[in-house]
Amino acid sequence: DIQMTQSPSSLSASVGDRVTITCRASQTISNYLNWYQHKPGKAPKLLLFRASVLQSGVPSRFSGSGSGTDFTLTISSLQAEDFATYSCQQSFRVPHTFGQGTKLEIK
Amino acid sequence: EVQLVQSGAEVKKPGESLKISCKGSGFHFPTYWIGWVRRMPGRGLEWMGIVYPDDSETEYSPSFQGQVTISADKSISTAYLQWSGLQASDTAMYYCARLRAGYTYSDAFDIWGQGTMVTVSS
């Protein structure tokens, strides 16, 4: 299986901050990298696919970059509703493994 | 509206069997891969496997192969996840989700069900 490693595991930030989360794959996955947001009691929500393509309806403050093994998710100006857990996922090879998640908390 | 609606929470005893469901609507169900994802308390998301309802082709994670069965009935737009002998370690929230592009499984999950909580306890 391809291992996906996110950093940091948790992060404290304030409304208005710029935040970056990284995701590293154990082998090259081209740009088959997806980002999800999930909140307690709710289903995960797709934010970006193919590393940098914004899913319809997702605010433009979310952006993604990377290719090969190293990827980033950036939130340009945190809003109150962005405090959640973020997970990356590779869809290059079955099984489409997820990272362990990054919990974004209010400072 | 495009949506997936899952069956309700289950409480079972170790060794019992279980089949949970995921009904799609608002899209052409047979031609979209449907997957299952596990979330255990305090752990990340785990990709279990996927099914293509049109021909019932499946792909499993090695971690779940032989432990669960994923299937679909395209005539009623429903996918299933089943166990033949539950264990306490199967206690988790289970989500179904649709792969974004119908023609390939190398893609993201864009539509998610609301989740089904499965509790296994003696």
Side-chain angles (χ1 to χ4, degrees), chain A residues 1 32 34 36 38-39 41-44 46 49-50 55 87 89 91-92 94-96 98-100, chain B residues 37 39 43-47 50 59-63 95 100 105-110 112-114:
Chain A
D1 297 4
Y32 288 88
N34 314 305
Y36 300 88
H38 40 117
K39 299 180 179 181
K42 289 196 162 186
L46 176 64
F49 58 95
R50 289 295 183 100
Q55 172 69 351
S87 295
Q89 179 209 22
S91 48
F92 180 75
V94 167
H96 294 171
F98 290 89
Q100 82 279 13
Chain B
V37 175
R39 186 167 71 189
R43 292 181 59 171
L45 300 170
E46 298 174 272
W47 190 95
I50 51 176
E59 295 282 348
Y60 287 92
S61 165
S63 298
Y95 293 101
R100 196 186 60 88
Y105 57 68
S106 295
D107 212 326
F109 290 127
D110 66 338
W112 292 70
Q114 81 278 19

Side-chain angles (χ1 to χ4, degrees), chain A residues 23-96:
Chain A
C23 180
R24 174 166 288 175
S26 60
Q27 58 187 268
T28 184
I29 58 169
S30 184
N31 66 344
Y32 288 88
L33 191 284
N34 314 305
W35 288 100
Y36 300 88
Q37 175 195 68
H38 40 117
K39 299 180 179 181
K42 289 196 162 186
K45 174 185 175 183
L46 176 64
L47 298 176
L48 299 112
F49 58 95
R50 289 295 183 100
S52 61
V53 181
L54 204 62
Q55 172 69 351
S56 175
V58 174
S60 58
R61 62 180 180 273
F62 291 91
S63 64
S65 65
S67 183
T69 60
D70 294 310
F71 302 86
T72 60
L73 169 69
T74 299
I75 310 172
S76 60
S77 178
L78 273 174
Q79 301 300 301
E81 61 267 30
D82 299 336
F83 291 96
T85 298
Y86 293 85
S87 295
C88 62
Q89 179 209 22
Q90 63 83 15
S91 48
F92 180 75
R93 181 170 294 130
V94 167
H96 294 171

Side-chain angles (χ1 to χ4, degrees), chain B residues 67-85:
Chain B
Q67 308 305 308
V68 298
T69 301
I70 294 171
S71 61
D73 184 342
K74 64 181 179 181
S75 69
I76 56 171
S77 300
T78 302
Y80 302 97
L81 175 64
Q82 68 181 89
W83 296 258
S84 58

Side-chain angles (χ1 to χ4, degrees), chain B residues 6 25 30 114:
Chain B
Q6 297 184 229
S25 61
Q114 81 278 19

